[in-house]
Amino acid sequence: MDLLAAIKERAKAEKKHIVLPEGTEPRTLKAAECIVKEKFATITLLGDSEAVKKAAAAVGADLKGVNIVDPVKSPDFESFSESYFKMRESKGMTREKAAETLKDPLYFGVMMVYAGQCHGMVAGAENATGNVLRPALQILRTKPGISSVSGAFLMISDNKQLGENGVSVFADCAVNPTLTAEQMAEVAFCSAETARELGGIAEPRVAMLSFSTKGSASHEAVDKVVEAVKIAQERYPDLLIDGELQMDAATVESVGQSKSPGSKVAGRANVFIFPSLEAGNITYKAVQRFAGAEAIGPILQGMAKPVNDLSRGCSIEDVVNTVALVCCQ
């Protein structure tokens, strides 16, 4: 069974409730139909009921078994607005502005997750990442001990010698343009969790990547990675982590043992932490396009409850797969 099939089987066993706030978006509508037919999640679409049904009819989406909630007409609208007002009162929020904000399905959807009505949210087919993250960070916030959200990809390669039987985790490839040493350490910890929860990797081995391996180059960018490794080792003593490592030292055992003798990670890494968004984003796309690897994500890490962002260029299958991932987070 391939990884995605295994994730869907796990999701089917869990049968979580996921909210999709972009209720009139064509790919989202078709995905909702697929998910309900595959029976691995309960789905709620947000939007004006008639508009949602009209949009579904236009693309031939059968919404039998899909819940439709109009935020403004919902019996929860007033209580959600009041809760949001109290959360943000110290930031200058008023009750009037809170009510206006909760008309936005992205905010209403996050409030459904916050209130426990849904287990997670997936959006981004027609909204930028910032619009998806903003309500999630304001309402759900990050997990205890985690200061920022990061974006990981599950990378699946036909080369079973790479990662863990061809499966690796790359991060941060989607959120933070620059990372501090402390944030890199947090991303390492969160990515190891993602490897276990979603990648089926029992023993995450984390490589902190750089253009240097164990002092082969001297630069402040290298110093940051060295500091990140030190922080991670102190804060997460059970985490298998090494760095700074170049990509070949992290992936090729002979190179890894030559450059970092005795390392439990070098040459055997299955989780790869990049020192910047620039490096991470370029690399995952290069591996995807040049090597033909499958990239699943971005998976948002560090949220107190799962919210995941889609690319605006996503396919129906991307929406379906992302919902399955959220069910397992």
Side-chain angles (χ1 to χ4, degrees), residues 155 157 159-170 191-192 195 201 203-210 240-257 260 263-274:
M155 304 297 294
S157 171
N159 185 345
K160 303 304 180 184
Q161 301 301 310
L162 295 175
E164 193 74 12
N165 199 31
V167 178
S168 302
V169 175
F170 284 15
S191 299
I201 297 173
E203 184 181 61
R205 297 181 293 275
V206 183
M208 302 292 261
L209 297 174
S210 176
L240 272 180
I241 187 168
D242 196 10
E244 83 283 15
L245 296 173
Q246 292 160 289
M247 183 59 92
D248 60 347
T251 54
V252 182
E253 190 153 13
S254 60
V255 177
Q257 291 308 308
S260 185
S263 172
K264 294 181 180 179
V265 173
R268 303 176 61 234
N270 48 35
V271 178
F272 301 88
I273 308 304
F274 295 86

Side-chain angles (χ1 to χ4, degrees), residues 57-125:
V59 295
D62 180 1
L63 297 185
K64 183 179 180 181
V66 176
N67 305 308
I68 302 172
V69 172
D70 182 341
V72 178
K73 295 179 181 177
S74 167
D76 296 309
F77 185 81
E78 287 189 14
S79 63
F80 282 3
S81 296
E82 182 66 14
S83 294
Y84 180 67
F85 159 68
K86 288 178 179 177
M87 286 178 200
R88 305 291 293 172
E89 187 177 10
S90 64
K91 304 286 187 182
M93 181 61 63
T94 64
R95 283 188 169 86
E96 292 75 16
K97 189 175 179 182
E100 190 62 31
T101 301
L102 264 292
K103 292 178 183 178
D104 183 339
L106 292 172
Y107 279 84
F108 192 89
V110 173
M111 283 300 301
M112 291 181 77
V113 177
Y114 176 80
Q117 294 182 6
C118 295
H119 296 98
M121 185 178 92
V122 173

Side-chain angles (χ1 to χ4, degrees), residues 2 45 146 156 173:
D2 68 24
L45 292 169
I146 303 298
I156 305 174
C173 302

Side-chain angles (χ1 to χ4, degrees), residues 7 20 46 53 73 77 104-105 111 116 129 133 142-143 169 179 196 202 206 211 219 226 273 277 299:
I7 287 170
L20 306 177
L46 298 185
K53 290 175 183 176
K73 295 179 181 177
F77 185 81
D104 183 339
M111 283 300 301
T129 297
L133 281 178
T142 55
K143 291 179 180 178
V169 175
L179 290 166
R196 275 189 290 263
V206 183
F211 58 85
H219 190 273
V226 172
I273 308 304
L277 178 60
I299 301 159

